[in-house]
Amino acid sequence: MIQELNNQFAISSHVRFEKGQGGLPKAVLHASSGNFCEVYLHGAHVTSWRDAAGAENLFMSEKSEFGEGLAFRGGIPICFPQFADQGDLPKHGLIRDRAWKVLKTSITPNEGSVSIEFDYRPDKMLKKLWPHLFECRYLVELNENLTVTLTVSNRGNAPFRFQTALHTYFSIQDIRRVKILGLQGLDFTDSLKGGKVFTETREAVDVSEETDRIYKNIPSRLCVLDDAAGKIFQLTPLGLADAVVWNPWIDKARRMVDFGDDEYLRMICLETANIHTRVQIAADERWMGKTVFTVQSA
Ligand code: TA6
């Protein structure tokens, strides 16, 4: 399979396919900026995004499992058509643990930007769980930034509604010195308090306990300030109106088999999503949502 993928989609010096963890195939992308990312065909899951100096921007748990039907712990899982357990489907939906197909790879003429596009269509088993004829495409573009774009098409003859989230795990040096900027004044539901609604009063949101909040109507830019590492992650969402802030903290970290007891110190999830308001697409319509990730020195 790896050889076939390379024969069909490899781009010299910029895209190649390798056998990754659990023997699962992954694409390795190198941009001329020196930036690097890895995307598994499993879940079209971005598991690594590094800068030219090799600094890793995404968190992957050292205890993550890798295998058919398993969700990776870290990177950018794609949640669709359901977020968390907000419905009858498996948690976070149906596509983050499924095998996607590579549609195409490309590079811009100046070799500044390299991209790979994946495709997912439901199989018979999945249609029994969720009877809507949909197609998902996922475009990963790497240049000086990382941009991921999810497109959902309604291939059926009736409308359907869905939730979605780019469940991004950022690698940070010390959670106790992280601030999230851009949430002040927004309402959020607190998943640890029965979904009760609160309003964020802080300009800089810090995390000092288990945190699981879904903010509504986010601005066009959110930032994660990793003070200990002297880095600022910037998220520019398009078509995604909500954001989740999640850290399991100590007790939940200890209960998670695919997460190290002290890994809560080195990660923060800031997830761009549509959760509060489900997206509805009519027959033959499609929806697109994307997020541009930028990292710079603080
Ligand atoms: O995005 C936050 C959340 O819904 C948390 O409640 C936590 O469960 C996290 O997702 C991870 O979910 P997972 O199914 O990947 O263990």
Side-chain angles (χ1 to χ4, degrees):
M1 178 178 198
I2 300 297
Q3 191 53 54
E4 288 155 29
L5 287 165
N6 279 316
N7 292 343
Q8 197 172 352
F9 299 110
I11 300 175
S12 176
S13 306
H14 294 289
V15 180
R16 71 174 186 281
F17 292 83
E18 297 175 0
K19 193 173 277 192
Q21 302 260 12
L24 296 168
K26 67 179 179 181
V28 178
L29 276 62
H30 288 271
S32 53
S33 61
N35 283 357
F36 164 98
C37 80
E38 287 185 347
V39 198
Y40 280 74
L41 277 64
H42 182 89
H45 198 129
V46 178
T47 54
S48 177
W49 167 41
R50 297 183 209 144
D51 66 14
E56 180 60 69
N57 296 313
L58 296 178
F59 167 86
M60 279 297 293
S61 171
E62 290 169 9
K63 294 196 164 185
S64 179
E65 297 169 309
F66 295 87
E68 295 302 325
L70 295 174
F72 298 166
R73 177 63 63 198
I76 309 177
I78 304 170
C79 306
F80 170 90
Q82 173 186 300
F83 179 76
D85 48 11
Q86 298 191 17
D88 302 330
L89 297 175
K91 193 171 173 202
H92 289 325
L94 300 168
I95 62 174
R96 63 173 175 165
D97 58 1
R98 317 285 299 188
W100 292 51
K101 288 188 169 47
V102 178
L103 268 186
K104 67 177 181 181
T105 55
S106 63
I107 187 156
T108 49
N110 67 359
E111 301 198 5
S113 187
V114 55
S115 65
I116 184 167
E117 187 170 25
F118 298 89
D119 184 68
Y120 182 77
R121 295 173 189 239
D123 57 21
K124 286 194 182 68
M125 193 278 283
L126 197 129
K127 286 174 188 164
K128 287 181 187 155
L129 289 171
W130 201 61
H132 303 294
L133 292 178
F134 71 92
E135 177 183 4
C136 286
R137 293 203 173 173
Y138 193 61
L139 179 66
V140 179
E141 296 169 280
L142 179 71
N143 39 46
E144 60 281 353
N145 304 322
L146 172 70
T147 302
V148 295
T149 304
L150 177 66
T151 303
V152 179
S153 300
N154 183 342
R155 300 290 188 212
N157 52 24
F160 62 71
R161 298 182 337 133
F162 64 90
Q163 296 171 311
T164 187
L166 299 171
H167 194 300
T168 308
Y169 289 70
F170 291 98
S171 174
I172 48 101
Q173 194 160 328
D174 183 348
I175 188 63
R176 295 162 297 196
R177 293 176 57 190
V178 164
K179 299 270 191 262
I180 299 171
L181 310 173
L183 299 172
Q184 189 173 33
L186 303 185
D187 286 347
F188 65 89
T189 54
D190 191 327
S191 305
L192 302 175
K193 294 178 180 159
K196 195 174 167 192
V197 179
F198 299 87
T199 300
E200 184 55 70
T201 56
R202 297 169 294 175
E203 180 185 1
V205 174
D206 64 343
V207 173
S208 55
E209 58 184 352
E210 182 180 355
T211 302
D212 195 350
R213 302 173 164 192
I214 309 171
Y215 288 83
K216 302 179 185 180
N217 301 324
I218 56 173
S220 57
R221 187 157 300 168
L222 294 172
C223 292
V224 175
L225 171 60
D226 179 358
D227 185 46
K231 281 166 81 168
I232 297 182
F233 296 103
Q234 191 172 286
L235 293 78
T236 306
L238 187 69
L240 297 163
D242 302 329
V244 182
V245 176
W246 177 61
N247 185 291
W249 214 249
I250 300 169
D251 295 343
K252 181 156 187 175
R254 286 187 178 144
R255 296 196 301 269
M256 293 162 65
V257 292
D258 60 347
F259 193 85
D261 287 356
D262 67 351
E263 288 187 323
Y264 73 95
L265 289 166
R266 296 187 295 280
M267 55 71 67
I268 182 71
C269 279
L270 180 59
E271 311 158 31
T272 43
N274 282 320
I275 299 168
H276 289 291
T277 303
R278 282 166 171 73
V279 179
Q280 173 157 316
I281 44 179
D284 298 329
E285 266 196 358
R286 65 179 176 178
W287 167 86
M288 186 196 81
K290 68 191 289 189
T291 298
V292 181
F293 299 98
T294 305
V295 61
Q296 52 198 18
S297 301

